[in-house]
């Protein structure tokens, strides 16, 4: 059953501003515009942005609440208090915000001191920014933390995790209680040393490796823009939220952030706001040690709307005005450079010593004196702070209810689009979607596994509206392109489901994680050559760590790439990627196994999958392979042993499986009992019950040969002590692919020769693992020519 794709033009923007970049003047407290043409327009459709919502009721209508705050700020700021300030709700709100931030900072200090570990410096310096986002700007719901239309927040500078943990606690998220702040960095706690999305609700993505969060945020904003264009209508918007990301100096230096920022500007992701904590410090010292560029100028050159503000004095108005300009911008993402003081309040403030570690007792005492906190116990929270934050959560609850009302209206007026949209929200899929996968037979034309992969992708795209992705400038080579579904491009085709990443593998991986974790039911794929997986290895690792169901399509998976030579021929890559916990790595042998790999990858939305595919065509679909058997990771392809055990087992993956089968046929004609096993996914096979694994690889059959044109690492576990590993422990060679395979012994003749040598050996308890590099003459090849 196919779902049609709806091409919907985006409705006119709620706000429009014709300008370039801004700089906040701290002395005049105004935004200075580099361009003096400003045009702010609104439609009849009212925005739900809290920054523009003037209808929110004041909490100070509650006289007891107001009186409690008046007493608190009198105590804290005796020199700033006057009757006018106390009775003017706007002035009082400024003082309340200031006191909330004091409390915020003291929770950070208490958490680090109690844990005797952590990174307080960045969190202390950015307290105003984080507080303002969660108290006045962001839309989120406590009753439904995964509410689809919530704003997304990403802390790319993940070492500053206390910044987010304290916000979540004060906002009353159940996932972070006071006891959780007391357990910072403790084993098994919900407050680990860097934010993990699978540990605490309210954390959108797992961050830590610097710069990754920037790419994740671009992915989240990309998901919003794409779904917005595909499903919104002129009279109703069911997709309308923003993405905020905080990054630090380290994130700015890492190349992935620049790759992702370049794409964000190219894609005109105007609902993305990147907030740069410019505190001029890294672990080793001042950023002057390694950095002299103008970061704002770089982002401006990339195509961002850039704003610089000085928050060293804690001025919330400056940040509020910067966010207003970001909300008004409709063509560019916004980069807000916030000048801060690392470790604010501490004796170490402004220095790299404040980056991490605890504070001495005298320093803590002085910090408490500065904010009039001397008589309060550790982890104290002023009771009114919770209620103050509750104002924003209440607003989020109302906005969520309004969104559900919109969704009901949408469903009544646009039932077909609504059915598709609602199917995506819970990562749902049409029943029977797997039947769309191609059915391959022995009579089909020969093709490479990358060719079979392309057919699978396009078949799936007809029934999976969430499928979206692209390649790192290799779409035609990877055969990873969704035909007739357009390229994502604003303003021409923001509904397109093909993403042009350019030569940016690392950003591609990080952005794909954002797409997968957005919650909009998107199924992202990311394609490149297997050898270039090195460029995005950290993103692949984080896919597994954060349960992001990205599908990595990595072609040119062996020395079979041929003429491009050692720089492009992957050797150690399969072994390294297989070592990543939870990652499902498939190396299919033919069309049937390729279809089977996609079935498993699509079904498993909480783990990433990697499909390694050949450039060269395989001889044919291997007789005995089964798409459904791929789910077990390894299975018997053929066996002439009947009721007896085989004398030898040949184990292969990918394009080398047909070598095993061809060799087995030769040996069988000579009277040998031979079993051929496809070990298409090691991890899935390892998860099978012991009885099943024993059935496929009987422990009593010690004579085994594995055949894979890559590193031999790891194969010993499957061939056993007396088995032989046919692998490559070199960097490959440049030449026609058939000659390269010949050089390293990957021919039918050499597999047969190796098997015979093993059959003639006596059993031994010593390990007999060999790397086969026998050079033989070019003869019959089981592979057909490369395109």
């Amino acid at each position: 059953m196919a779902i049609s794709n709806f091409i919907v033009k985006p409705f006119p923007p709620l706000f429009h501003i014709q300008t370039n970049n801004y700089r906040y003047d701290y002395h005049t407290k105004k935004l200075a515009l580099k361009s003096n043409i400003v045009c702010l327009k609104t439609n009849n459709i009212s925005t739900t942005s809290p920054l523009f919502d003037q209808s929110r009721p004041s909490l100070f209508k509650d006289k007891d609440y107001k009186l409690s705050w008046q007493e608190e700020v009198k105590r804290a700021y005796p020199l700033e208090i006057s009757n006018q300030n106390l009775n003017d709700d706007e002035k009082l709100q400024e003082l309340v915000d200031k006191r909330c931030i004091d409390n915020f900072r003291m929770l950070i200090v208490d958490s680090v001191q109690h844990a005797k570990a952590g990174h307080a410096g960045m969190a202390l310096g950015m307290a105003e920014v984080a507080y303002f986002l969660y108290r006045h700007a962001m839309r989120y719901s406590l009753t439904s933390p995964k509410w689809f239309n919530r704003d997304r927040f990403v802390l790319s500078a993940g070492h500053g995790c206390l910044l987010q943990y304290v916000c979540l606690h004060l906002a009353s998220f159940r996932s972070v209680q006071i006891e959780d702040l007391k357990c910072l960095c403790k084993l098994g706690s919900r407050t680990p040393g860097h934010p993990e999305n699978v540990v605490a609700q309210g954390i959108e993505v797992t961050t830590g490796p610097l710069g990754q969060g920037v790419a994740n945020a671009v992915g989240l904003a990309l998901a919003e823009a794409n779904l917005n264009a595909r499903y919104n209508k002129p009279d109703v918007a069911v997709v309308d939220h923003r993405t905020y990301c905080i990054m630090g100096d380290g994130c700015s230096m890492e190349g992935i952030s620049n790759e992702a920022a370049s794409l964000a500007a190219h894609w005109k992701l105007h609902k993305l706001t990147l907030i740069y904590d410019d505190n001029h410090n890294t672990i080793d010292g001042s950023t002057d040690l390694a950095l002299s560029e103008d970061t704002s100028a770089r982002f401006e050159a990339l195509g961002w709307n850039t704003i610089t503000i000085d928050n060293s004095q804690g001025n919330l108005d400056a940040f509020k005005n910067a966010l207003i300009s970001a909300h008004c911008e409709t063509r560019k993402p916004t980069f807000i450079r916030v000048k801060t003081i690392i470790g604010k309040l501490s004796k170490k403030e402004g220095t790299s010593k404040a980056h991490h570690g605890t504070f001495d007792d005298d320093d803590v005492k002085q910090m408490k004196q500065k904010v009039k906190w001397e008589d309060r116990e550790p982890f104290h929270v002023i009771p009114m702070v919770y209620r103050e934050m509750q104002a924003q959560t209440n607003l989020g609850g109302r906005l969520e209810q309004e969104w559900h009302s919109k969704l009901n209206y949408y469903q009544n007026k646009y039932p077909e689009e609504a059915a598709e949209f609602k199917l995506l929200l819970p990562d749902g899929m049409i029943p029977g979607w797997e039947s769309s996968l191609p059915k391959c037979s022995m009579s089909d034309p020969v093709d490479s596994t990358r060719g079979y992969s392309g057919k699978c992708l396009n078949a799936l795209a007809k029934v999976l509206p969430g499928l979206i992705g692209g390649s790192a400038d290799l779409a035609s080579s990877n055969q990873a392109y969704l035909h007739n579904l357009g390229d994502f491009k604003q303003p021409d085709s923001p509904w397109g489901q093909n993403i042009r990443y350019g030569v940016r593998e690392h950003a591609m991986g990080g952005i794909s994680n954002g797409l997968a974790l957005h919650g909009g039911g998107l199924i992202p794929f990311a394609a490149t050559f297997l050898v270039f997986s090195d460029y995005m290895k950290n993103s692949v690792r984080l896919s597994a760590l954060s349960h992001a169901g990205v599908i990595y399509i990595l072609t040119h998976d062996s020395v079979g790439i041929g003429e491009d030579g050692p720089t492009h021929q992957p050797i150690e890559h399969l072994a390294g990627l297989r070592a990543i916990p939870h990652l499902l790595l498939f190396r299919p042998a033919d069309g049937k196994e390729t279809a089977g790999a996609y079935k498993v990858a699509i079904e498993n939305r909480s783990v990433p999958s990697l499909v390694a595919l050949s450039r060269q065509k395989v001889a044919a679909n291997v007789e005995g392979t089964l798409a459904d058997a791929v789910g077990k990771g390894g299975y018997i392809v053929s066996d002439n042993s009947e009721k007896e055990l085989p004398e030898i087992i040949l184990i292969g993956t990918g394009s080398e499986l047909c070598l095993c089968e061809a060799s087995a046929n030769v040996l069988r004609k000579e009277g040998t009992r031979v079993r051929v096993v496809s070990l298409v996914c090691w991890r899935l096979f390892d998860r099978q019950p012991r009885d099943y694994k024993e059935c496929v690889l009987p422990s009593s059959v010690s004579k085994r040969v594995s055949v894979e044109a890559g590193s031999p690492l790891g194969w010993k576990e499957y061939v056993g002590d007396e088995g032989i590993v046919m692998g490559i422990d070199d960097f490959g060679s440049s030449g026609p692919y058939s000659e390269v395979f010949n050089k390293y012994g990957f021919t039918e003749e050499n597999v047969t020769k190796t098997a015979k040598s093993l059959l003639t050996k006596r059993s031994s308890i010593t390990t007999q693992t060999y790397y086969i590099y026998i050079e033989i003459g070019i003869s019959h090849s089981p592979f057909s020519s490369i395109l």
Side-chain angles (χ1 to χ4, degrees):
M1 175 180 177
I3 287 186
S4 59
N5 291 279
F6 298 91
I7 302 175
V8 182
K9 292 184 178 180
F11 61 89
L14 301 179
F15 295 97
H16 177 63
I17 189 164
Q18 298 173 5
T19 185
N20 291 328
N21 301 313
Y22 307 79
R23 182 175 297 275
Y24 184 81
D25 188 323
Y26 175 72
H27 300 289
T28 63
K29 297 185 179 180
K30 293 181 179 178
L31 285 172
L33 291 131
K34 293 183 180 179
S35 170
N36 58 7
I37 305 174
V38 182
C39 178
L40 184 63
K41 300 177 181 178
T42 61
N43 294 338
N44 292 329
I45 306 173
S46 63
T47 177
T48 55
S49 169
L51 291 174
F52 297 94
D53 185 0
Q54 303 300 323
S55 64
R56 286 194 287 176
S58 171
L59 293 175
F60 297 140
K61 290 182 179 180
D62 183 331
K63 293 182 180 179
D64 290 338
Y65 179 76
K66 184 174 183 177
L67 180 62
S68 296
W69 267 125
Q70 287 173 335
E71 294 299 321
E72 177 66 30
V73 297
K74 278 182 186 178
R75 175 184 178 280
Y77 315 120
L79 299 180
E80 300 179 43
I81 294 301
S82 67
N83 289 333
Q84 181 180 0
N85 287 344
L86 290 178
N87 293 318
D88 183 325
D89 284 0
E90 186 175 343
K91 295 292 185 183
L92 180 58
Q93 184 64 55
E94 290 179 7
L95 293 171
V96 167
D97 286 338
K98 184 177 180 180
R99 195 56 173 160
C100 289
I101 293 164
D102 288 340
N103 201 158
F104 192 111
R105 285 197 168 100
M106 293 317 300
L107 285 175
I108 292 168
V109 172
D110 292 339
S111 298
V112 169
Q113 294 301 100
H114 190 267
K116 295 181 171 32
H119 297 76
M122 178 262 191
L124 290 172
M126 285 288 280
E128 286 90 359
V129 169
Y131 167 79
F132 188 89
L133 284 174
Y134 275 85
R135 169 61 185 90
H136 295 290
M138 284 173 49
R139 301 177 294 185
Y140 53 89
S141 171
L142 287 183
T143 56
S144 304
K146 292 295 185 181
W147 167 45
F148 169 79
N149 212 37
R150 69 192 182 280
D151 289 337
R152 271 68 168 175
F153 173 76
V154 177
L155 184 63
S156 185
H159 57 277
C161 58
L162 274 170
L163 198 68
Q164 190 166 15
Y165 295 154
V166 172
C167 283
L168 292 174
H169 172 67
L170 294 180
S172 298
F173 277 78
R174 294 177 182 176
S175 54
V176 183
Q177 304 294 318
I178 279 290
E179 291 304 314
D180 296 304
L181 294 179
K182 292 179 180 179
C183 291
L184 177 71
C185 300
K186 294 293 188 291
L187 189 65
S189 77
R190 293 189 289 188
T191 48
H194 291 82
E196 296 180 37
N197 66 306
V198 297
V199 171
Q201 284 192 329
I203 307 291
E204 300 287 352
V205 297
T206 296
T207 57
L210 296 178
Q212 285 283 340
V214 176
N216 297 161
V218 173
L220 293 169
L222 171 60
E224 193 280 340
N226 182 260
L227 293 171
N228 179 312
R230 289 166 64 183
Y231 296 105
N232 282 357
K233 297 293 184 180
D235 59 332
V236 59
V238 291
V239 183
D240 178 25
H241 56 80
R242 308 188 71 86
T243 301
Y244 300 93
C245 176
I246 290 178
M247 77 171 198
D249 288 299
C251 298
S252 174
M253 294 181 196
E254 287 285 1
I256 185 175
S257 65
N258 196 69
E259 290 182 22
S262 176
L263 284 166
H266 179 72
W267 291 332
K268 298 178 174 56
L269 300 178
H270 66 275
K271 289 186 180 178
L272 171 62
T273 302
L274 182 57
I275 304 161
Y276 171 32
D277 173 30
D278 183 15
N279 64 39
H280 287 291
N281 278 278
T282 56
I283 293 176
D284 280 352
S286 169
T287 53
D288 295 341
L289 292 171
L291 187 70
S292 55
E293 68 185 32
D294 184 337
T295 308
S296 294
R298 171 158 63 91
F299 274 80
E300 184 177 349
L302 289 173
W304 287 62
N305 167 37
T306 61
I307 305 168
T308 297
I309 63 175
D310 186 344
N311 193 54
S312 58
Q313 304 302 313
N315 185 358
L316 288 181
D317 281 343
F319 185 62
K320 175 182 179 180
N321 289 334
L323 284 184
I324 289 174
S325 73
H327 281 226
C328 291
E329 177 61 62
T330 62
R331 292 184 59 81
K332 300 177 180 180
T334 295
F335 175 79
I336 303 176
R337 181 180 183 180
V338 186
K339 295 183 178 180
T340 64
I341 300 175
I342 190 172
K344 193 168 183 178
L345 293 183
S346 167
K347 291 188 297 185
K348 298 186 286 186
E349 72 174 24
T351 71
S352 61
K353 293 180 181 179
H355 179 271
H356 63 277
T358 58
F359 306 96
D360 62 45
D361 292 341
D362 184 57
D363 198 359
V364 173
K365 181 179 179 180
Q366 289 188 31
M367 284 190 277
K368 287 186 174 183
Q369 289 173 346
K370 288 177 183 178
V371 296
K372 300 292 189 292
W373 211 261
E374 300 95 328
D375 59 343
R376 287 174 170 163
E377 293 297 317
F379 296 99
H380 175 78
V381 178
I382 301 168
M384 297 86 76
V385 173
Y386 290 120
R387 185 171 175 189
E388 189 67 20
M389 295 293 287
Q390 188 181 356
Q392 192 68 10
T393 60
N394 288 343
L395 173 65
R398 293 197 301 273
L399 293 174
E400 183 188 4
Q401 291 176 357
E402 291 174 11
W403 180 79
H404 283 293
S405 296
K406 284 184 180 181
L407 195 58
N408 288 334
Y409 170 83
Y410 184 81
Q411 185 171 0
N412 290 330
K413 190 168 182 181
Y414 307 102
E416 192 171 0
E417 291 95 325
E420 183 174 299
F421 178 65
K422 292 182 76 173
L423 186 70
L424 286 175
L425 296 188
D427 288 333
M429 288 174 275
I430 299 174
W433 62 266
E434 63 275 9
S435 63
S436 68
L437 285 164
K439 306 295 190 297
C440 302
S441 68
M442 294 294 294
S443 61
D444 288 346
V446 297
D447 203 348
S448 60
T449 51
R450 67 170 174 172
Y452 294 123
S453 170
K455 294 170 185 174
C456 289
L457 272 179
N458 278 279
L460 288 168
K462 294 177 181 178
V463 296
L464 296 176
L467 198 61
I468 185 172
S471 174
D473 196 48
L474 292 167
S476 59
S477 189
N478 297 146
Q479 299 196 22
Y481 189 83
L482 306 179
H483 302 304
N484 304 316
L485 291 182
D487 293 343
F488 174 83
K489 185 179 180 182
Q490 298 202 81
D492 302 330
S493 53
W495 41 263
Q497 290 170 245
N498 290 290
I499 303 173
R500 300 291 192 173
Y501 286 107
V503 189
R504 300 184 184 92
E505 290 89 355
H506 204 178
M508 176 175 67
I511 290 169
S512 296
N513 285 336
L515 288 169
L517 296 173
H518 172 263
L522 297 179
I523 304 173
F525 62 88
T528 186
F529 290 177
L530 178 58
V531 75
F532 299 141
S533 63
D534 286 340
Y535 284 125
M536 60 178 179
K537 180 73 172 295
N538 213 346
S539 294
V540 178
R541 183 177 187 272
L542 283 173
S543 297
L545 181 58
S546 57
H547 298 191
V550 179
I551 300 174
Y552 292 96
I553 301 170
L554 302 186
T555 66
H556 297 57
D557 67 347
S558 74
V559 293
I561 189 174
E563 288 83 352
D564 282 340
T567 62
H568 282 54
Q569 292 173 359
I571 301 297
E572 74 282 10
H573 300 76
L574 290 171
L577 290 163
R578 281 172 175 146
I580 297 176
H582 309 306
L583 175 67
L584 300 180
L585 190 154
F586 302 90
R587 191 161 182 256
D590 58 9
K592 287 175 285 183
E593 286 198 344
T594 303
Y598 273 103
K599 179 178 181 293
V600 177
I602 296 293
E603 286 174 339
N604 287 272
R605 294 290 74 234
S606 62
V607 295
S609 297
L610 189 154
V611 190
L613 303 159
S614 71
R615 177 197 185 194
Q616 75 278 9
K617 293 183 178 181
V618 292
N621 283 307
V622 180
E623 187 173 3
T625 56
L626 296 169
D628 289 340
V630 171
K632 292 186 178 296
Y635 64 99
I636 300 170
V637 174
S638 64
D639 193 346
N640 67 329
S641 305
E642 297 181 351
K643 294 183 179 180
E644 298 182 78
L645 287 173
E647 297 172 76
I648 190 169
I649 301 175
L650 305 182
I651 312 169
T653 72
S655 57
E656 290 81 79
L657 184 66
C658 65
L659 295 178
C660 296
E661 188 63 25
S663 174
N665 288 334
V666 172
L667 294 170
R668 288 165 185 159
K669 289 178 182 178
E670 297 176 358
T672 305
R673 299 190 305 277
V674 185
R675 174 176 294 179
V676 175
V677 169
S678 172
L679 206 60
V680 60
C681 179
W682 291 14
R683 179 155 280 113
L684 287 177
F685 182 72
D686 291 344
R687 292 176 182 172
Q688 299 307 310
R690 180 180 300 178
D691 289 349
Y692 177 80
K693 290 187 286 187
E694 177 65 20
C695 179
V696 175
L697 296 177
S699 55
S700 57
V701 181
S702 60
K703 298 184 185 301
R704 306 176 187 180
V705 179
S706 68
V707 187
E708 184 175 74
S711 170
L713 287 176
W715 274 106
K716 179 183 173 184
E717 181 177 350
Y718 302 101
V719 301
D721 290 340
E722 296 187 43
I724 293 178
V725 175
M726 292 185 65
I728 302 175
D729 198 18
D730 197 1
F731 283 114
S733 302
S734 179
Y737 89 96
S738 56
E739 294 182 21
V740 176
F741 266 102
N742 249 337
K743 174 180 178 179
Y744 292 105
F746 291 95
T747 64
E748 172 193 323
E749 292 83 356
N750 199 39
V751 174
T752 304
K753 180 180 179 180
T754 303
K756 287 182 176 180
S757 70
L758 185 59
L759 285 166
T760 59
K761 285 183 176 292
R762 293 184 178 181
S763 296
S764 169
I765 60 171
T766 59
T767 300
Q768 298 183 21
T769 302
Y770 303 96
Y771 307 150
I772 307 299
Y773 310 118
I774 301 174
E775 297 209 26
I776 60 177
I778 301 173
S779 56
H780 170 70
S781 172
F783 300 100
S784 62
S785 61
I786 297 178
L787 279 177

